[in-house]
Amino acid sequence: APKQKWSMANQENPVEQCNKKVRALLNKLTLKNFPSISSQILEKLLASQNSNQDEIAKAIFEMIFKKSLDEHTFCEIYAQLVKDILEKVAPPPEKAAWKAKADDRRAIFRRYLLEQCQESFDTTWPTMNNDEADSTVGKTEEVITPEPEMLTDAYYALEKQKRQRLGLVKLIGELFKLSIITAKIVDYCFRQLLARNKGSITEANIECSCALLTKVGPKLESEEATSLRLDQYMQRLTEIEEEEAPNSRTKFMILDLIDSRSSGWTNK
């Protein structure tokens, strides 16, 4: 009798196979090899069946998002990869009749990405509505929370949270620079980070505010509609530097940001 070929009892579905390959490529991603890795990721995505592309694209966005939080120094190339995927998966069609469909698909992916950003941001920084924000103006009393001991589980958990917060705002900044998110979303972030409510003026919030402004400042200043908002953010940070900064490190962060703007964002 002819021999039967062995086969896997539980073969992975095409989506999971593609996701594993993409995950491996993302782990190799650097600024130097970005063009090559990006092309390979897009090839694998586009080679998948149309019925699987949406699911794979969302999984890739989730992987990129998670890596951005832990590897904030690579946020610029992660944001560029997001833009490349948005353009390739839902490219502007040649036929006008299909334009609305492509735009809708791009909007769905964009919304999925924004939901991930907002969920993470709101989890990290609890939101206030406008009435609450107005009622807390001038109330900057801070709750003193003791720092955990070095090398403890609590210490490492806090360091991870700080790193992921920084990664999140840097990713948001890079997505704004690429016009994937709007100035309205950036404004939402600053209103939470620089709120005049009890306990909001922390070293972590100031560091994230300065990191975000370093990313988005040049673009905000280049447009008349948003330059006024930039003035407001800088004025608020100046107030914090003069009256509320918790330590010298945060004072210097703000002063460096002010100097950067004065010099035309040359050291952004």
Side-chain angles (χ1 to χ4, degrees):
K3 294 182 179 180
Q4 293 184 343
K5 292 184 178 180
W6 291 8
S7 61
M8 295 291 291
N10 295 310
Q11 292 186 343
E12 291 179 322
N13 62 54
V15 173
E16 184 57 34
Q17 288 178 353
C18 184
N19 289 346
K20 278 190 173 183
K21 293 175 181 178
V22 170
R23 189 177 294 110
L25 288 169
L26 283 174
N27 289 335
K28 300 176 183 178
L29 185 62
T30 65
L31 184 60
K32 185 176 181 179
N33 67 14
F34 174 78
S36 172
I37 296 294
S38 175
S39 296
Q40 292 180 63
I41 290 175
L42 290 171
E43 285 175 7
K44 295 188 181 303
L45 176 60
L46 296 175
S48 61
Q49 296 180 5
N50 289 336
S51 59
N52 294 330
Q53 278 190 7
D54 289 5
E55 187 177 350
I56 293 172
K58 288 181 178 181
I60 293 174
F61 285 154
E62 184 175 351
M63 284 186 270
I64 293 173
F65 180 76
K66 288 180 178 179
K67 288 186 73 67
S68 297
L69 298 189
D70 287 323
E71 303 171 8
H72 59 80
T73 55
F74 291 103
C75 281
E76 182 176 358
I77 56 177
Y78 287 140
Q80 184 60 53
L81 182 56
V82 168
K83 183 179 181 181
D84 291 347
I85 293 173
L86 288 174
E87 292 177 348
K88 293 293 184 180
V89 174
E94 296 179 2
K95 296 182 179 180
W98 290 91
K99 186 177 189 307
K101 185 175 181 180
D103 288 344
D104 288 345
R105 195 176 185 206
R106 192 179 297 107
I108 290 172
F109 288 133
R110 179 176 173 273
R111 171 50 53 190
Y112 179 77
L113 181 68
L114 296 184
E115 286 175 353
Q116 285 188 313
C117 289
Q118 183 172 7
E119 181 181 355
S120 181
F121 191 92
D122 288 345
T123 300
T124 305
W125 290 283
T127 59
M128 295 188 303
N129 59 40
N130 291 334
D131 292 338
E132 289 174 328
D134 292 340
S135 67
T136 57
V137 172
K139 298 180 181 179
T140 56
E141 180 184 352
E142 184 175 345
V143 177
I144 305 299
T145 303
E147 290 284 329
E149 293 185 15
M150 293 275 291
L151 307 181
T152 62
D153 289 344
Y155 169 80
Y156 288 119
L158 181 60
E159 289 301 304
K160 180 179 180 180
Q161 183 189 59
K162 290 179 180 179
R163 183 177 67 251
Q164 291 186 336
R165 282 179 169 181
L166 198 57
L168 176 60
V169 296
K170 285 187 175 182
L171 178 63
I172 290 172
E174 294 294 347
L175 293 174
F176 173 72
K177 287 166 61 178
L178 295 174
S179 300
I180 296 173
I181 66 174
T182 64
K184 183 178 180 180
I185 294 173
V186 171
D187 184 66
Y188 174 87
C189 295
F190 278 117
R191 287 184 180 277
Q192 304 306 318
L193 289 169
L194 303 178
R196 298 175 185 270
N197 63 310
K198 185 176 181 179
S200 68
I201 308 306
T202 64
E203 181 173 352
N205 281 15
I206 294 173
E207 182 175 11
C208 288
S209 298
C210 291
L212 182 55
L213 262 180
T214 299
K215 296 288 185 184
V216 305
K219 185 175 180 180
L220 289 176
E221 190 143 48
S222 67
E223 300 176 9
E224 184 177 355
T226 55
S227 62
L228 294 177
R229 290 184 182 178
L230 177 61
D231 290 338
Q232 294 173 353
Y233 306 148
M234 297 300 294
Q235 181 180 355
R236 177 69 182 120
L237 282 169
T238 299
E239 292 174 0
I240 293 172
E241 187 275 324
E242 293 175 348
E243 303 173 7
E244 307 168 44
N247 53 43
S248 297
R249 179 173 179 264
T250 52
K251 280 179 172 286
F252 285 122
M253 283 182 191
I254 297 171
L255 291 173
D256 285 345
L257 183 67
I258 294 172
D259 289 343
S260 177
R261 187 191 186 190
S262 299
S263 60
W265 305 100
T266 52
N267 57 338
K268 59 183 180 297

